[in-house]
Amino acid sequence: MWLGPGAAKAVDAPLGERGHAVNYVREDSLGRVWLGHARRGILRWDPAARALVEEVGPAFTQTPTLGAYGMREDRLRRLWVGTSAGLLVREPDGRWRIFTDRDGLQASWVRGIEFLQDGTAWLNYQEPVGLTRVRLDAHGLTVVEHKTSGRGLASDLVYAVRADLHGHVWA
């Protein structure tokens, strides 16, 4: 559903079958609307066609389904998406990269992302494995640190992570 500007009541959005089971919606700095689907991955709203376009689906990750959750855009206009198959990053040129436990993540199911002022990002997971702080550059993903219970966290199960204006990180 969507709620138009000044509207008092939401109406069904003309998204078709792909519009069901959407987990997340985000508008990027260029005005593009991105949707995270529970099974079909990352969808983009094409206003000219008035349809959802599959940007990254299960075929890209070689998995039967692809759930897409938290989406954030960094200051370099890269779109970071936590998915059931790892962290997906869309470069400004439209190229997608994937990072998984093979790249140092604690688990492949990334649920959320939060950027810090220094350009690093905290990732939280579906599994109870704590938090991972990463840095991304042209060479790839670098793990800066992991936080777990006994090493900075009261619990390894983290539902969300956010940084406030004072630089405090809330988990």
Side-chain angles (χ1 to χ4, degrees):
M1 302 188 82
W2 61 25
L3 185 64
K9 186 176 178 183
V11 297
D12 287 339
L15 302 180
E17 193 274 327
R18 287 183 176 164
H20 297 282
V22 171
N23 292 319
Y24 205 89
V25 178
R26 168 153 303 305
E27 181 180 20
D28 70 14
S29 60
L30 299 176
R32 294 174 296 207
V33 176
W34 300 90
L35 290 84
H37 196 276
R39 295 178 308 279
R40 293 179 176 230
I42 303 162
L43 309 173
R44 179 181 40 80
W45 175 248
D46 181 341
R50 295 188 55 80
L52 288 173
V53 175
E54 186 178 286
E55 275 277 327
V56 178
F60 182 82
T61 57
Q62 300 177 5
T63 54
T65 62
L66 179 62
Y69 303 94
M71 295 182 183
R72 302 297 302 269
E73 185 179 27
D74 68 16
R75 57 184 167 222
L76 299 176
R77 292 193 168 162
R78 297 179 297 200
L79 183 66
W80 297 43
V81 184
T83 76
S84 57
L87 173 66
L88 283 163
V89 177
R90 184 182 191 274
E91 297 292 337
D93 65 8
R95 180 177 46 99
W96 287 91
R97 297 196 282 170
I98 186 167
F99 303 98
T100 67
D101 52 353
R102 293 182 303 275
D103 300 293
L105 301 185
Q106 292 296 97
S108 287
W109 196 311
V110 177
R111 279 292 209 168
I113 302 142
E114 178 65 2
F115 295 113
L116 302 180
Q117 289 298 319
D118 66 1
T120 62
W122 282 108
L123 307 177
N124 65 290
Y125 303 94
Q126 172 78 14
E127 296 89 350
V129 293
L131 295 168
T132 303
R133 189 161 65 105
V134 297
R135 173 175 282 110
L136 181 61
D137 60 28
H139 304 291
L141 192 75
T142 301
V143 173
V144 177
E145 66 180 309
H146 294 293
K147 292 286 185 185
T148 58
S149 62
R151 292 182 56 217
L153 296 177
S155 169
D156 288 335
L157 184 57
V158 178
Y159 291 101
V161 61
R162 288 291 179 258
D164 66 21
L165 296 175
H166 304 288
H168 299 108
V169 177
W170 298 80

